[in-house]
């Protein structure tokens, strides 16, 4: 058990040191988003921030989106499902996609409860 605890502490130490390096030395935005382009890194970072903001607003304003995100708790699961559905099907709108997902996940009753209490 002591070896397992020591291994866990060692892993935590490595991850924590990596995060501290990122916090103190920077997140290397230019490196991650493009080399040599004057405004590319800032532009791509702005798009990322807008995407996060957009999804936060959706969670506040769209009950169907909020319910689906609650059920599919991992962001990656949610986007994998969106990617798979939109690869093979065409939806008329975002609302039709959300309705399809709610029916497929059998969440109609939870949505009705959520709308009644909300």
């Amino acid at each position: 058990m002591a070896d397992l605890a020591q291994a866990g502490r060692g892993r935590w130490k490595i991850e924590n040191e990596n995060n501290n390096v990122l916090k103190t030395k920077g997140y290397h935005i230019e490196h991650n988003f493009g080399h040599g382009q004057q405004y590319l890194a800032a532009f791509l970072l702005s798009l990322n921030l807008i995407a996060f903001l957009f999804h936060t607003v959706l969670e506040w304003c769209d009950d169907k989106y909020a319910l689906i995100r609650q059920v599919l708790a991992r962001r990656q699961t949610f986007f994998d499902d969106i990617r798979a559905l939109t690869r093979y099907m065409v939806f008329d709108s975002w609302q039709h996609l959300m309705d399809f997902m709610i029916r497929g996940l059998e969440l109609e009753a939870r949505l009705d409860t959520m709308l009644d209490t909300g």
Side-chain angles (χ1 to χ4, degrees):
M1 189 58 110
D3 291 338
L4 182 62
Q6 183 62 32
R9 279 194 290 270
R11 181 179 174 137
W12 178 85
K13 181 179 184 297
I14 290 168
E15 289 177 1
N16 193 42
E17 287 173 353
N18 179 53
N19 291 341
N20 283 339
V21 167
L22 286 175
K23 288 177 186 175
T24 59
K25 305 285 191 272
Y27 287 91
H28 310 292
I29 292 169
E30 293 84 4
H31 174 76
N32 292 334
F33 287 127
H35 301 279
Q37 303 296 326
Q38 187 175 6
Y39 299 109
L40 181 61
F43 175 71
L44 293 174
L45 176 64
S46 298
L47 288 179
N48 266 355
L49 294 174
I50 290 169
F52 283 120
L53 176 64
F54 187 76
H55 286 285
T56 301
V57 170
L58 271 175
E59 283 209 37
W60 292 342
C61 299
D62 188 339
D63 292 327
K64 293 176 183 178
Y65 175 87
L67 177 61
I68 292 169
R69 285 286 292 124
Q70 181 182 11
V71 170
L72 303 176
R74 290 186 61 229
R75 189 181 302 269
Q76 183 174 352
T77 303
F78 174 75
F79 285 108
D80 285 346
D81 287 359
I82 295 277
R83 188 178 304 111
L85 289 170
T86 57
R87 176 173 287 168
Y88 301 109
M89 302 174 74
V90 176
F91 296 92
D92 294 332
S93 67
W94 176 259
Q95 227 33 59
H96 286 133
L97 174 61
M98 294 293 104
D99 291 339
F100 182 85
M101 291 180 78
I102 285 176
R103 281 193 310 274
L105 293 168
E106 299 176 352
L107 300 174
E108 293 93 346
R110 284 180 67 176
L111 180 64
D112 292 340
T113 303
M114 193 169 114
L115 292 176
D116 290 340
T117 60

